[in-house]
Amino acid sequence: MRILGIDPGLATVGFSVVDTDKNKMQLVTCGVISTPAHTSLSSRLDRIFDDMNELISTFNPDAISIEELFFNTNITTGIAVSHARGVILLAGYKSGVQIFEYTPLQVKQAVVGYGRAEKKQVIEMVKRILNLPAAPKPDDAADAVALAICHARSSTSLLNQKGDNGVCSTI
């Protein structure tokens, strides 16, 4: 399976492409989509949309893993990121690629094993899991790799195997 991991943002969108085969994962590429400051919101969203479409057509992912928004103290920044996230979701939807959304807590749990892990711990585990010589740079790209790893691990869960009726039980 090929996973396109996306860390949404307006100024910087982190992306990664990770190939998985059972428990083996390999980083194909990662980087960022940058939009210039002091340009209109519409122009920045257009660039993100076009670049997402190019990523999807170039790498032909089987799934897109994107971070759900977590509003902290700066609601203005959250709204701008929401706009960017919307065009990213639209690009994925229009391309027919299935989209999976994960909270930061779910990503940290899947990558580090602890939902309250520090960013440095997540980046170090990304490096170790993929056996990389150095951590992906910048941090937005590393976050996108972590999102792809999160989906790779979640999609191979026994709860997601074929034949599962989607009902969880404690029995």
Side-chain angles (χ1 to χ4, degrees):
M1 172 179 13
R2 177 163 279 187
I3 303 164
L4 176 59
I6 300 292
D7 180 36
L10 183 61
T12 307
V13 176
F15 70 86
S16 70
V17 177
V18 173
D19 285 341
T20 66
D21 183 20
K22 297 185 182 170
N23 289 330
K24 185 180 176 198
M25 289 181 249
Q26 180 179 5
L27 179 64
V28 176
T29 191
C30 67
V32 294
I33 298 168
S34 298
T35 63
H38 309 296
T39 58
S40 70
L41 175 62
S42 299
S43 173
R44 295 173 96 173
L45 295 176
D46 183 57
R47 179 165 184 167
I48 291 168
F49 185 74
D50 287 347
D51 287 357
M52 280 299 303
N53 284 322
E54 186 174 336
L55 282 170
I56 292 167
S57 67
T58 299
F59 293 103
N60 195 28
D62 300 302
I64 295 173
S65 176
I66 186 168
E67 187 174 76
E68 285 186 7
L69 288 185
F70 174 74
F71 288 98
N72 204 355
T73 55
N74 192 343
I75 192 79
T76 304
T77 301
I79 291 170
V81 174
S82 294
H83 290 305
R85 191 172 178 280
V87 299
I88 292 166
L89 292 172
L90 180 62
Y93 174 79
K94 286 188 142 308
S95 69
V97 179
Q98 195 167 8
I99 300 167
F100 299 87
E101 302 175 57
Y102 298 97
T103 66
L105 189 122
Q106 289 173 310
V107 175
K108 291 174 182 180
Q109 180 69 39
V111 175
V112 179
Y114 175 59
R116 304 275 182 225
E118 298 288 325
K119 185 180 265 303
K120 285 173 28 177
Q121 292 173 296
V122 175
I123 292 172
E124 179 61 27
M125 284 305 295
V126 162
K127 181 181 151 194
R128 288 181 183 203
I129 290 167
L130 296 174
N131 197 27
L132 301 173
K137 296 281 184 193
D139 286 355
D140 299 292
D143 291 345
V145 177
L147 278 149
I149 291 170
C150 174
H151 181 67
R153 289 185 162 180
S154 298
S155 67
T156 57
S157 165
L158 291 176
L159 294 174
N160 292 321
Q161 298 300 316
K162 288 185 178 173
D164 176 31
N165 62 6
V167 177
C168 291
S169 172
T170 57
I171 299 173

